[in-house]
Amino acid sequence: MIPMMEKMEKKHPCIVMVPSPGLSHLIPLVEFAKMLVHDDDELNVKFIVPTLSSSSSSSSSSSMNSILNNSDLPPNITFTVLPQVNVEDLPVKSQTSTQIRFAVKHSLPFIHQQLTSFMSSTTHHIVALVFSIFATDVLDLAKEFNLLTYVFFASGASLLSFCLYLPYLDETVFSTTNNTMSLTETVNFPGCVVPFQIKDLPDPVLYERSSEVYKSFLNVCRTHSLVDGAIVNTFTHLESEAIAAIQQQQQQQREANDRNTDKVPPFVYPIGPIIQSETSNDVNRLECLRWLDNQPPRSVLYISFGSGGTLSQEQLNEIAFGLEMSGHKFLWVVRAPNEYGGGAYLNEQKEDPLHHLPSGFVERTKGEGLVVPSWAPQVEILGHGSTSAFLSHCGWNSILESVVHGVPMIAWPLFAEQRMNAVLLKEVLKVALMPEKVVDNDEDGIVKREEIARVIKRMMEENEEGLEMRKRIKHLSDAAAAALTQNGSSTKAFSTLKQKWKIV
């Protein structure tokens, strides 16, 4: 009788996950959760999801709902969606990353309430708290409940290395120049193969040192040294130098027995590439895939700027005319214009984006291209045999999806850390081309139609440069698959993490 009672009273292990608002943070965490519970009915993952009253375009909101309500998800992954934070309660005209962080901060009382409920469970034992990069304010709650803490880095290890090094740059390079650095000056940090120009660093770093945006980002970066580990959606072959640099710093600090935790990098677990296997089955999906089925192999350029990327009206026009001039087939996901590159990330767009295209464009290109509003089934498109290349905003999720499917890129970064990612793709991995902008008065500038057509032709037409690029992206695709095999580097890192949590 006693052994039976002990068995009944056994608590099952549980991981709590807190994503930052936004699909680019939620999707990889959900995919990671699915990996965790695969073949493990006893392990549970409980999501606590902060939300904004206008956190995304209507298409992104629909995508989020389809993720949270997906009937194919295992029953041991559950979601608690918190009351919406009103965007108007956030700092006016603040940068996107700052708004995301404030949204999580406003949600802390509700997160605390949920954690209290989970901790009092008679059936589950909370093992660790995993949170997204801009949800670092939950660290204080984790300390209160004596939980292991892990930041889930949905971006690459290069950005993580930069974030860990930024406090040092703030004390040395940035502070001594007193904001007088030229945007073309370069900085180095551990693990970077090529130096980065100031203009290519994440958006918050380009703000004044005294600004709330910069101080908030710096505080987030300092917090990363306080966690027990960093789970990174990358793999060793893709970012070997950055991963090795973080691991080397950690090892040096351990050997020195340095107890100044502000300077100790977290243990890094490169467990990627984690990507969606498929997207929702809606009208756009069927239309896109049917259209691709009727195109010749490797003939289509796919164009998308992610779940939040937007272009100005002028740039939208130039892309349209550039596509026409190139003479190549295309599948273009169009979003209503906005002067800010991340204009759709936190703001709902109700306009029909196709109304903003040049007059007659859709009719003139009907035989060669397909234009879809706001959303398309990206994973399936990149995996389709008719897709030849990807004109991308260089968001990390999109990069991994392109790498996994062996599709070379035209890099068109817009905001956040996307310029750093573009440098990695073009200068280090050499699997992307990048168009040149016409820059006036030190502003971002416009990529003209002639340049767009030129770059598309370089990418899409048979030439030695294109062949070499396709060989390199195929090599990366093979390495990505190998990383997830039984003895692959990511599988080993994943197993080490599970052993740390004692859930193997």
PDB file of all heavy atoms in Angstrom, residues 442-470:
ATOM      1  N   ASP A 442      23.035  61.107 -44.940  1.00  0.00           N
ATOM      2  CA  ASP A 442      23.246  60.166 -43.841  1.00  0.00           C
ATOM      3  C   ASP A 442      21.980  59.453 -43.384  1.00  0.00           C
ATOM      4  O   ASP A 442      21.899  58.935 -42.290  1.00  0.00           O
ATOM      5  CB  ASP A 442      23.877  60.883 -42.622  1.00  0.00           C
ATOM      6  CG  ASP A 442      25.287  61.350 -42.927  1.00  0.00           C
ATOM      7  OD1 ASP A 442      25.965  60.668 -43.713  1.00  0.00           O
ATOM      8  OD2 ASP A 442      25.684  62.387 -42.393  1.00  0.00           O
ATOM      9  N   GLU A 443      20.957  59.451 -44.226  1.00  0.00           N
ATOM     10  CA  GLU A 443      19.744  58.708 -43.896  1.00  0.00           C
ATOM     11  C   GLU A 443      19.850  57.301 -44.475  1.00  0.00           C
ATOM     12  O   GLU A 443      20.802  56.957 -45.186  1.00  0.00           O
ATOM     13  CB  GLU A 443      18.517  59.450 -44.427  1.00  0.00           C
ATOM     14  CG  GLU A 443      18.295  60.805 -43.738  1.00  0.00           C
ATOM     15  CD  GLU A 443      17.054  61.499 -44.242  1.00  0.00           C
ATOM     16  OE1 GLU A 443      16.391  60.937 -45.143  1.00  0.00           O
ATOM     17  OE2 GLU A 443      16.752  62.599 -43.753  1.00  0.00           O
ATOM     18  N   ASP A 444      18.853  56.473 -44.186  1.00  0.00           N
ATOM     19  CA  ASP A 444      18.918  55.080 -44.600  1.00  0.00           C
ATOM     20  C   ASP A 444      19.032  54.917 -46.105  1.00  0.00           C
ATOM     21  O   ASP A 444      19.684  54.012 -46.593  1.00  0.00           O
ATOM     22  CB  ASP A 444      17.683  54.326 -44.094  1.00  0.00           C
ATOM     23  CG  ASP A 444      17.824  53.952 -42.628  1.00  0.00           C
ATOM     24  OD1 ASP A 444      18.947  54.028 -42.114  1.00  0.00           O
ATOM     25  OD2 ASP A 444      16.809  53.591 -42.013  1.00  0.00           O
ATOM     26  N   GLY A 445      18.377  55.783 -46.837  1.00  0.00           N
ATOM     27  CA  GLY A 445      18.472  55.699 -48.281  1.00  0.00           C
ATOM     28  C   GLY A 445      17.504  54.703 -48.890  1.00  0.00           C
ATOM     29  O   GLY A 445      16.780  53.987 -48.198  1.00  0.00           O
ATOM     30  N   ILE A 446      17.512  54.675 -50.220  1.00  0.00           N
ATOM     31  CA  ILE A 446      16.592  53.840 -50.985  1.00  0.00           C
ATOM     32  C   ILE A 446      17.391  52.950 -51.924  1.00  0.00           C
ATOM     33  O   ILE A 446      18.391  53.372 -52.508  1.00  0.00           O
ATOM     34  CB  ILE A 446      15.617  54.719 -51.798  1.00  0.00           C
ATOM     35  CG1 ILE A 446      14.675  55.475 -50.869  1.00  0.00           C
ATOM     36  CG2 ILE A 446      14.820  53.890 -52.803  1.00  0.00           C
ATOM     37  CD1 ILE A 446      13.670  54.605 -50.156  1.00  0.00           C
ATOM     38  N   VAL A 447      16.961  51.714 -52.078  1.00  0.00           N
ATOM     39  CA  VAL A 447      17.528  50.834 -53.094  1.00  0.00           C
ATOM     40  C   VAL A 447      16.718  51.049 -54.367  1.00  0.00           C
ATOM     41  O   VAL A 447      15.510  50.806 -54.396  1.00  0.00           O
ATOM     42  CB  VAL A 447      17.471  49.356 -52.670  1.00  0.00           C
ATOM     43  CG1 VAL A 447      18.136  48.487 -53.734  1.00  0.00           C
ATOM     44  CG2 VAL A 447      18.148  49.148 -51.328  1.00  0.00           C
ATOM     45  N   LYS A 448      17.382  51.528 -55.411  1.00  0.00           N
ATOM     46  CA  LYS A 448      16.701  51.864 -56.656  1.00  0.00           C
ATOM     47  C   LYS A 448      16.385  50.623 -57.477  1.00  0.00           C
ATOM     48  O   LYS A 448      17.012  49.566 -57.341  1.00  0.00           O
ATOM     49  CB  LYS A 448      17.562  52.822 -57.486  1.00  0.00           C
ATOM     50  CG  LYS A 448      17.812  54.174 -56.804  1.00  0.00           C
ATOM     51  CD  LYS A 448      16.522  54.951 -56.627  1.00  0.00           C
ATOM     52  CE  LYS A 448      16.790  56.346 -56.077  1.00  0.00           C
ATOM     53  NZ  LYS A 448      15.537  57.120 -55.895  1.00  0.00           N
ATOM     54  N   ARG A 449      15.407  50.761 -58.374  1.00  0.00           N
ATOM     55  CA  ARG A 449      14.907  49.631 -59.158  1.00  0.00           C
ATOM     56  C   ARG A 449      16.004  48.981 -60.007  1.00  0.00           C
ATOM     57  O   ARG A 449      16.021  47.762 -60.159  1.00  0.00           O
ATOM     58  CB  ARG A 449      13.737  50.088 -60.035  1.00  0.00           C
ATOM     59  CG  ARG A 449      14.092  51.163 -61.074  1.00  0.00           C
ATOM     60  CD  ARG A 449      12.864  51.792 -61.679  1.00  0.00           C
ATOM     61  NE  ARG A 449      12.194  52.649 -60.707  1.00  0.00           N
ATOM     62  CZ  ARG A 449      11.109  53.385 -60.987  1.00  0.00           C
ATOM     63  NH1 ARG A 449      10.572  53.341 -62.208  1.00  0.00           N
ATOM     64  NH2 ARG A 449      10.556  54.137 -60.057  1.00  0.00           N
ATOM     65  N   GLU A 450      16.915  49.804 -60.558  1.00  0.00           N
ATOM     66  CA  GLU A 450      17.985  49.245 -61.384  1.00  0.00           C
ATOM     67  C   GLU A 450      18.901  48.328 -60.566  1.00  0.00           C
ATOM     68  O   GLU A 450      19.327  47.275 -61.034  1.00  0.00           O
ATOM     69  CB  GLU A 450      18.804  50.382 -62.015  1.00  0.00           C
ATOM     70  CG  GLU A 450      18.052  51.241 -63.003  1.00  0.00           C
ATOM     71  CD  GLU A 450      17.230  52.348 -62.342  1.00  0.00           C
ATOM     72  OE1 GLU A 450      17.314  52.483 -61.085  1.00  0.00           O
ATOM     73  OE2 GLU A 450      16.508  53.059 -63.057  1.00  0.00           O
ATOM     74  N   GLU A 451      19.193  48.753 -59.307  1.00  0.00           N
ATOM     75  CA  GLU A 451      20.029  47.941 -58.431  1.00  0.00           C
ATOM     76  C   GLU A 451      19.301  46.671 -58.022  1.00  0.00           C
ATOM     77  O   GLU A 451      19.908  45.589 -57.947  1.00  0.00           O
ATOM     78  CB  GLU A 451      20.422  48.756 -57.201  1.00  0.00           C
ATOM     79  CG  GLU A 451      21.133  47.983 -56.108  1.00  0.00           C
ATOM     80  CD  GLU A 451      22.513  47.489 -56.494  1.00  0.00           C
ATOM     81  OE1 GLU A 451      22.963  47.759 -57.629  1.00  0.00           O
ATOM     82  OE2 GLU A 451      23.151  46.814 -55.669  1.00  0.00           O
ATOM     83  N   ILE A 452      18.014  46.774 -57.772  1.00  0.00           N
ATOM     84  CA  ILE A 452      17.222  45.595 -57.403  1.00  0.00           C
ATOM     85  C   ILE A 452      17.226  44.576 -58.545  1.00  0.00           C
ATOM     86  O   ILE A 452      17.472  43.386 -58.331  1.00  0.00           O
ATOM     87  CB  ILE A 452      15.785  46.012 -57.040  1.00  0.00           C
ATOM     88  CG1 ILE A 452      15.783  46.846 -55.758  1.00  0.00           C
ATOM     89  CG2 ILE A 452      14.883  44.780 -56.888  1.00  0.00           C
ATOM     90  CD1 ILE A 452      14.473  47.537 -55.461  1.00  0.00           C
ATOM     91  N   ALA A 453      16.995  45.051 -59.759  1.00  0.00           N
ATOM     92  CA  ALA A 453      16.994  44.154 -60.912  1.00  0.00           C
ATOM     93  C   ALA A 453      18.372  43.522 -61.111  1.00  0.00           C
ATOM     94  O   ALA A 453      18.490  42.324 -61.423  1.00  0.00           O
ATOM     95  CB  ALA A 453      16.583  44.923 -62.170  1.00  0.00           C
ATOM     96  N   ARG A 454      19.439  44.312 -60.911  1.00  0.00           N
ATOM     97  CA  ARG A 454      20.804  43.802 -61.085  1.00  0.00           C
ATOM     98  C   ARG A 454      21.112  42.668 -60.105  1.00  0.00           C
ATOM     99  O   ARG A 454      21.646  41.618 -60.491  1.00  0.00           O
ATOM    100  CB  ARG A 454      21.803  44.943 -60.898  1.00  0.00           C
ATOM    101  CG  ARG A 454      23.261  44.541 -61.123  1.00  0.00           C
ATOM    102  CD  ARG A 454      24.205  45.686 -60.777  1.00  0.00           C
ATOM    103  NE  ARG A 454      24.270  45.910 -59.341  1.00  0.00           N
ATOM    104  CZ  ARG A 454      25.071  45.225 -58.521  1.00  0.00           C
ATOM    105  NH1 ARG A 454      25.860  44.259 -58.997  1.00  0.00           N
ATOM    106  NH2 ARG A 454      25.083  45.484 -57.229  1.00  0.00           N
ATOM    107  N   VAL A 455      20.764  42.865 -58.824  1.00  0.00           N
ATOM    108  CA  VAL A 455      21.049  41.862 -57.815  1.00  0.00           C
ATOM    109  C   VAL A 455      20.215  40.602 -58.035  1.00  0.00           C
ATOM    110  O   VAL A 455      20.703  39.478 -57.865  1.00  0.00           O
ATOM    111  CB  VAL A 455      20.815  42.439 -56.398  1.00  0.00           C
ATOM    112  CG1 VAL A 455      20.933  41.352 -55.346  1.00  0.00           C
ATOM    113  CG2 VAL A 455      21.808  43.550 -56.104  1.00  0.00           C
ATOM    114  N   ILE A 456      18.959  40.779 -58.425  1.00  0.00           N
ATOM    115  CA  ILE A 456      18.108  39.618 -58.702  1.00  0.00           C
ATOM    116  C   ILE A 456      18.693  38.783 -59.832  1.00  0.00           C
ATOM    117  O   ILE A 456      18.754  37.546 -59.762  1.00  0.00           O
ATOM    118  CB  ILE A 456      16.666  40.063 -59.034  1.00  0.00           C
ATOM    119  CG1 ILE A 456      15.983  40.634 -57.789  1.00  0.00           C
ATOM    120  CG2 ILE A 456      15.852  38.881 -59.588  1.00  0.00           C
ATOM    121  CD1 ILE A 456      14.615  41.223 -58.050  1.00  0.00           C
ATOM    122  N   LYS A 457      19.173  39.450 -60.888  1.00  0.00           N
ATOM    123  CA  LYS A 457      19.768  38.713 -62.009  1.00  0.00           C
ATOM    124  C   LYS A 457      21.034  37.986 -61.577  1.00  0.00           C
ATOM    125  O   LYS A 457      21.284  36.855 -61.995  1.00  0.00           O
ATOM    126  CB  LYS A 457      20.064  39.684 -63.155  1.00  0.00           C
ATOM    127  CG  LYS A 457      18.815  40.183 -63.872  1.00  0.00           C
ATOM    128  CD  LYS A 457      19.168  41.159 -64.978  1.00  0.00           C
ATOM    129  CE  LYS A 457      17.919  41.657 -65.704  1.00  0.00           C
ATOM    130  NZ  LYS A 457      18.255  42.627 -66.777  1.00  0.00           N
ATOM    131  N   ARG A 458      21.850  38.644 -60.753  1.00  0.00           N
ATOM    132  CA  ARG A 458      23.070  37.985 -60.249  1.00  0.00           C
ATOM    133  C   ARG A 458      22.726  36.711 -59.487  1.00  0.00           C
ATOM    134  O   ARG A 458      23.426  35.705 -59.594  1.00  0.00           O
ATOM    135  CB  ARG A 458      23.835  38.931 -59.325  1.00  0.00           C
ATOM    136  CG  ARG A 458      24.681  39.966 -60.001  1.00  0.00           C
ATOM    137  CD  ARG A 458      25.354  40.857 -58.970  1.00  0.00           C
ATOM    138  NE  ARG A 458      26.277  40.125 -58.109  1.00  0.00           N
ATOM    139  CZ  ARG A 458      26.792  40.600 -56.970  1.00  0.00           C
ATOM    140  NH1 ARG A 458      26.445  41.815 -56.549  1.00  0.00           N
ATOM    141  NH2 ARG A 458      27.637  39.872 -56.250  1.00  0.00           N
ATOM    142  N   MET A 459      21.650  36.769 -58.723  1.00  0.00           N
ATOM    143  CA  MET A 459      21.263  35.624 -57.900  1.00  0.00           C
ATOM    144  C   MET A 459      20.573  34.540 -58.708  1.00  0.00           C
ATOM    145  O   MET A 459      20.841  33.351 -58.531  1.00  0.00           O
ATOM    146  CB  MET A 459      20.341  36.085 -56.769  1.00  0.00           C
ATOM    147  CG  MET A 459      19.787  34.956 -55.901  1.00  0.00           C
ATOM    148  SD  MET A 459      21.077  34.025 -55.040  1.00  0.00           S
ATOM    149  CE  MET A 459      21.499  35.173 -53.724  1.00  0.00           C
ATOM    150  N   MET A 460      19.698  34.922 -59.620  1.00  0.00           N
ATOM    151  CA  MET A 460      18.818  33.952 -60.265  1.00  0.00           C
ATOM    152  C   MET A 460      19.408  33.312 -61.530  1.00  0.00           C
ATOM    153  O   MET A 460      18.994  32.221 -61.924  1.00  0.00           O
ATOM    154  CB  MET A 460      17.489  34.622 -60.624  1.00  0.00           C
ATOM    155  CG  MET A 460      16.731  35.192 -59.427  1.00  0.00           C
ATOM    156  SD  MET A 460      16.137  33.916 -58.300  1.00  0.00           S
ATOM    157  CE  MET A 460      14.809  33.204 -59.275  1.00  0.00           C
ATOM    158  N   GLU A 461      20.364  33.980 -62.168  1.00  0.00           N
ATOM    159  CA  GLU A 461      20.878  33.467 -63.425  1.00  0.00           C
ATOM    160  C   GLU A 461      22.132  32.639 -63.202  1.00  0.00           C
ATOM    161  O   GLU A 461      22.884  32.863 -62.254  1.00  0.00           O
ATOM    162  CB  GLU A 461      21.143  34.632 -64.392  1.00  0.00           C
ATOM    163  CG  GLU A 461      19.846  35.347 -64.777  1.00  0.00           C
ATOM    164  CD  GLU A 461      20.069  36.616 -65.598  1.00  0.00           C
ATOM    165  OE1 GLU A 461      21.252  36.924 -65.909  1.00  0.00           O
ATOM    166  OE2 GLU A 461      19.076  37.286 -65.913  1.00  0.00           O
ATOM    167  N   GLU A 462      22.363  31.678 -64.078  1.00  0.00           N
ATOM    168  CA  GLU A 462      23.491  30.773 -63.934  1.00  0.00           C
ATOM    169  C   GLU A 462      24.809  31.521 -64.099  1.00  0.00           C
ATOM    170  O   GLU A 462      25.060  32.133 -65.127  1.00  0.00           O
ATOM    171  CB  GLU A 462      23.398  29.650 -64.976  1.00  0.00           C
ATOM    172  CG  GLU A 462      22.221  28.700 -64.777  1.00  0.00           C
ATOM    173  CD  GLU A 462      22.368  27.860 -63.523  1.00  0.00           C
ATOM    174  OE1 GLU A 462      23.514  27.633 -63.097  1.00  0.00           O
ATOM    175  OE2 GLU A 462      21.336  27.446 -62.959  1.00  0.00           O
ATOM    176  N   ASN A 463      25.632  31.493 -63.078  1.00  0.00           N
ATOM    177  CA  ASN A 463      26.953  32.099 -63.133  1.00  0.00           C
ATOM    178  C   ASN A 463      27.807  31.459 -62.046  1.00  0.00           C
ATOM    179  O   ASN A 463      27.300  30.796 -61.141  1.00  0.00           O
ATOM    180  CB  ASN A 463      26.887  33.618 -62.955  1.00  0.00           C
ATOM    181  CG  ASN A 463      26.162  34.031 -61.693  1.00  0.00           C
ATOM    182  OD1 ASN A 463      26.630  33.771 -60.581  1.00  0.00           O
ATOM    183  ND2 ASN A 463      24.994  34.661 -61.850  1.00  0.00           N
ATOM    184  N   GLU A 464      29.112  31.662 -62.115  1.00  0.00           N
ATOM    185  CA  GLU A 464      30.013  31.019 -61.172  1.00  0.00           C
ATOM    186  C   GLU A 464      29.746  31.466 -59.740  1.00  0.00           C
ATOM    187  O   GLU A 464      29.775  30.649 -58.812  1.00  0.00           O
ATOM    188  CB  GLU A 464      31.464  31.323 -61.551  1.00  0.00           C
ATOM    189  CG  GLU A 464      32.478  30.588 -60.691  1.00  0.00           C
ATOM    190  CD  GLU A 464      33.896  30.816 -61.147  1.00  0.00           C
ATOM    191  OE1 GLU A 464      34.078  31.355 -62.266  1.00  0.00           O
ATOM    192  OE2 GLU A 464      34.827  30.464 -60.398  1.00  0.00           O
ATOM    193  N   GLU A 465      29.472  32.759 -59.561  1.00  0.00           N
ATOM    194  CA  GLU A 465      29.199  33.285 -58.222  1.00  0.00           C
ATOM    195  C   GLU A 465      27.989  32.598 -57.611  1.00  0.00           C
ATOM    196  O   GLU A 465      28.018  32.170 -56.449  1.00  0.00           O
ATOM    197  CB  GLU A 465      28.958  34.790 -58.303  1.00  0.00           C
ATOM    198  CG  GLU A 465      28.618  35.444 -56.974  1.00  0.00           C
ATOM    199  CD  GLU A 465      28.253  36.906 -57.139  1.00  0.00           C
ATOM    200  OE1 GLU A 465      27.568  37.252 -58.140  1.00  0.00           O
ATOM    201  OE2 GLU A 465      28.639  37.710 -56.264  1.00  0.00           O
ATOM    202  N   GLY A 466      26.912  32.480 -58.398  1.00  0.00           N
ATOM    203  CA  GLY A 466      25.702  31.849 -57.900  1.00  0.00           C
ATOM    204  C   GLY A 466      25.896  30.374 -57.597  1.00  0.00           C
ATOM    205  O   GLY A 466      25.377  29.853 -56.593  1.00  0.00           O
ATOM    206  N   LEU A 467      26.649  29.683 -58.442  1.00  0.00           N
ATOM    207  CA  LEU A 467      26.894  28.255 -58.219  1.00  0.00           C
ATOM    208  C   LEU A 467      27.673  28.025 -56.927  1.00  0.00           C
ATOM    209  O   LEU A 467      27.374  27.097 -56.159  1.00  0.00           O
ATOM    210  CB  LEU A 467      27.655  27.667 -59.409  1.00  0.00           C
ATOM    211  CG  LEU A 467      26.858  27.517 -60.710  1.00  0.00           C
ATOM    212  CD1 LEU A 467      27.772  27.070 -61.847  1.00  0.00           C
ATOM    213  CD2 LEU A 467      25.709  26.528 -60.536  1.00  0.00           C
ATOM    214  N   GLU A 468      28.688  28.860 -56.676  1.00  0.00           N
ATOM    215  CA  GLU A 468      29.470  28.724 -55.457  1.00  0.00           C
ATOM    216  C   GLU A 468      28.619  28.997 -54.223  1.00  0.00           C
ATOM    217  O   GLU A 468      28.748  28.333 -53.188  1.00  0.00           O
ATOM    218  CB  GLU A 468      30.670  29.676 -55.498  1.00  0.00           C
ATOM    219  CG  GLU A 468      31.759  29.259 -56.470  1.00  0.00           C
ATOM    220  CD  GLU A 468      32.331  27.886 -56.136  1.00  0.00           C
ATOM    221  OE1 GLU A 468      32.607  27.631 -54.948  1.00  0.00           O
ATOM    222  OE2 GLU A 468      32.483  27.067 -57.066  1.00  0.00           O
ATOM    223  N   MET A 469      27.733  29.992 -54.332  1.00  0.00           N
ATOM    224  CA  MET A 469      26.863  30.321 -53.216  1.00  0.00           C
ATOM    225  C   MET A 469      25.909  29.172 -52.905  1.00  0.00           C
ATOM    226  O   MET A 469      25.662  28.848 -51.742  1.00  0.00           O
ATOM    227  CB  MET A 469      26.068  31.592 -53.549  1.00  0.00           C
ATOM    228  CG  MET A 469      25.482  32.311 -52.366  1.00  0.00           C
ATOM    229  SD  MET A 469      24.738  33.878 -52.839  1.00  0.00           S
ATOM    230  CE  MET A 469      26.151  34.744 -53.499  1.00  0.00           C
ATOM    231  N   ARG A 470      25.418  28.521 -53.950  1.00  0.00           N
ATOM    232  CA  ARG A 470      24.501  27.397 -53.743  1.00  0.00           C
ATOM    233  C   ARG A 470      25.224  26.190 -53.156  1.00  0.00           C
ATOM    234  O   ARG A 470      24.649  25.430 -52.379  1.00  0.00           O
ATOM    235  CB  ARG A 470      23.803  27.049 -55.062  1.00  0.00           C
ATOM    236  CG  ARG A 470      22.870  28.148 -55.532  1.00  0.00           C
ATOM    237  CD  ARG A 470      22.155  27.833 -56.826  1.00  0.00           C
ATOM    238  NE  ARG A 470      21.483  29.031 -57.314  1.00  0.00           N
ATOM    239  CZ  ARG A 470      20.333  29.486 -56.850  1.00  0.00           C
ATOM    240  NH1 ARG A 470      19.705  28.814 -55.889  1.00  0.00           N
ATOM    241  NH2 ARG A 470      19.792  30.591 -57.326  1.00  0.00           N
TER     242      ARG A 470
END
